[in-house]
Amino acid sequence: MRLRKHTTASTIHPSVVLFFLPCLACAFSLDCSDIRDNKQSFDISALGNPISVMTSEDHFPTPTMTNTTFTIDICKPLKKAKGIPKEEDCPNGSRVCGIQRLINTFENRTSFAAAIPIAGQYTLHGGTELDPEITRLKTSSSPSDREKEGFRLSLQGPKFPEKNGRKHKAVIEFLCLDKAEERALRTREEKAGAMDEDDDGEEDHSATDEVSDDGHGGTLKYLDFDVVGDDKVLSLEWRTKYACESAKGESPTKSPRHWGFFTWFIIMYVPSHLPDPNGEQALTVVRS
């Protein structure tokens, strides 16, 4: 047996690795047209636009309160807001983000408090992946879940604050909204709108908007933002016709979470064939 030097490893340029890196990200991404668990597929791509809900906390007896606006785009990263300082906006890659503002009701003054990254693909925040987890409610291990129709979606986020902070995540429960419920919801909204028109027009700082119309006949509702175990969890409820199993129906099992050929190609093959950073040549064992 003899050792023979060769330099064929250098034939693969580092740019090839950069070209295939998106494949790695795809392994952790979310396909809104095919949310799948236990053979059931849901298509929520129509909901892929930013939507916000707000909650308020009164700091009695001081004349201050905190308003937190949670914005989510379930299908793609949130776009950066124009004309807002970088430190007052959500980080790049956010799917779910909270903006906190402090309101002084005595001085009628509002000031920025914090931008909270809750879930997303954060390259610059510890390399946190979105890492979606999907649970079909009808086949859940929880008896209370099995009484519902729809699915639960968990999305991961980074630690906040970055130093000594808790890991954040968003848990959205998508519940089936059938046609009868949709009509009843529309009736309630129309009555609420009529009542708003009859008020005295004075500003009410204690009012919250914890339920938002999603523009497709459904609603997004804020439930809670609290510590669960070691994590800080934002809980939301999304009632929508797109969470009904009849909306898309069952389909053959796919494996969207399994890595494909190109992903394994990058992980197993490319690193071993890159030029050595110290300029040394690779050795191949040749049997004589």
Side-chain angles (χ1 to χ4, degrees):
M1 182 177 69
R2 68 181 187 277
L3 297 178
R4 185 175 67 192
K5 293 184 178 181
H6 72 89
T7 58
T8 55
S10 62
T11 58
I12 297 181
H13 196 273
S15 61
V16 175
V17 180
L18 297 178
F19 177 79
F20 285 109
L21 278 179
C23 294
L24 288 173
C26 292
F28 304 100
S29 63
L30 182 69
D31 181 3
C32 278
S33 66
D34 189 20
I35 304 292
R36 182 184 298 271
D37 185 48
N38 283 331
K39 297 184 180 180
Q40 178 64 42
S41 179
F42 300 90
D43 183 354
I44 59 170
S45 54
L47 304 178
N49 286 299
I51 181 173
S52 298
V53 289
M54 186 184 72
T55 184
S56 299
E57 181 182 359
D58 197 349
H59 303 304
F60 183 81
T62 65
T64 60
M65 64 188 304
T66 300
N67 273 8
T68 307
T69 301
F70 298 101
T71 302
I72 175 174
D73 191 327
I74 199 67
C75 297
K76 57 185 180 299
L78 294 166
K79 293 182 179 180
K80 304 292 286 185
K82 295 181 179 180
I84 295 180
K86 181 180 179 181
E87 61 274 11
E88 296 184 15
D89 201 359
C90 302
N92 290 327
S94 295
R95 294 285 185 100
V96 188
C97 185
I99 301 295
Q100 284 187 340
R101 292 181 174 84
L102 185 65
I103 298 175
N104 188 311
T105 56
F106 180 74
E107 300 177 356
N108 196 26
R109 178 170 51 87
T110 302
S111 58
F112 170 80
I116 308 171
I118 296 172
Q121 197 86 15
Y122 296 107
T123 305
L124 301 179
H125 290 264
T128 307
E129 303 287 350
L130 186 65
D131 197 14
E133 180 181 340
I134 303 159
T135 302
R136 181 186 180 189
L137 297 179
K138 280 190 174 181
T139 56
S140 168
S141 58
S142 169
S144 60
D145 281 349
R146 292 198 294 268
E147 296 176 358
K148 308 172 187 176
E149 182 176 351
F151 64 95
R152 184 179 296 109
L153 177 63
S154 298
L155 303 175
Q156 306 301 314
K159 288 185 176 181
F160 182 84
E162 288 189 44
K163 292 184 179 180
N164 304 319
R166 291 184 180 272
K167 188 178 184 301
H168 282 51
K169 66 187 294 186
V171 178
I172 308 106
E173 194 164 275
F174 289 82
L175 298 177
C176 173
L177 179 67
D178 61 29
K179 292 182 178 180
E181 290 178 307
E182 188 175 348
R183 286 194 297 268
L185 178 63
R186 285 283 152 256
T187 301
R188 290 196 299 269
E189 289 178 348
E190 290 171 1
K191 289 181 178 179
M195 292 176 64
D196 290 341
E197 291 177 358
D198 293 337
D199 64 19
D200 55 13
E202 293 183 2
E203 187 173 6
D204 182 7
H205 287 288
S206 65
T208 62
D209 188 15
E210 296 187 346
V211 180
S212 291
D213 187 333
D214 66 7
H216 296 274
T219 57
L220 178 66
K221 181 181 180 180
Y222 167 84
L223 297 180
D224 196 18
F225 185 45
D226 207 349
V227 176
V228 179
D230 296 329
D231 300 339
K232 188 71 175 288
V233 180
L234 171 65
S235 300
L236 303 172
E237 179 189 275
W238 203 324
R239 301 187 68 85
T240 172
K241 59 187 177 184
Y242 299 110
C244 299
E245 297 194 352
S246 59
K248 188 167 184 178
E250 292 197 2
S251 53
T253 303
K254 295 200 308 183
S255 301
R257 298 180 187 177
H258 294 169
W259 291 359
F261 167 77
F262 287 108
T263 305
W264 285 112
F265 172 82
I266 296 169
I267 295 174
M268 304 297 295
Y269 181 76
V270 174
S272 64
H273 286 70
L274 287 175
D276 191 289
N278 297 320
E280 298 179 1
Q281 294 175 318
L283 294 178
T284 300
V285 177
V286 181
R287 296 187 181 277
S288 55

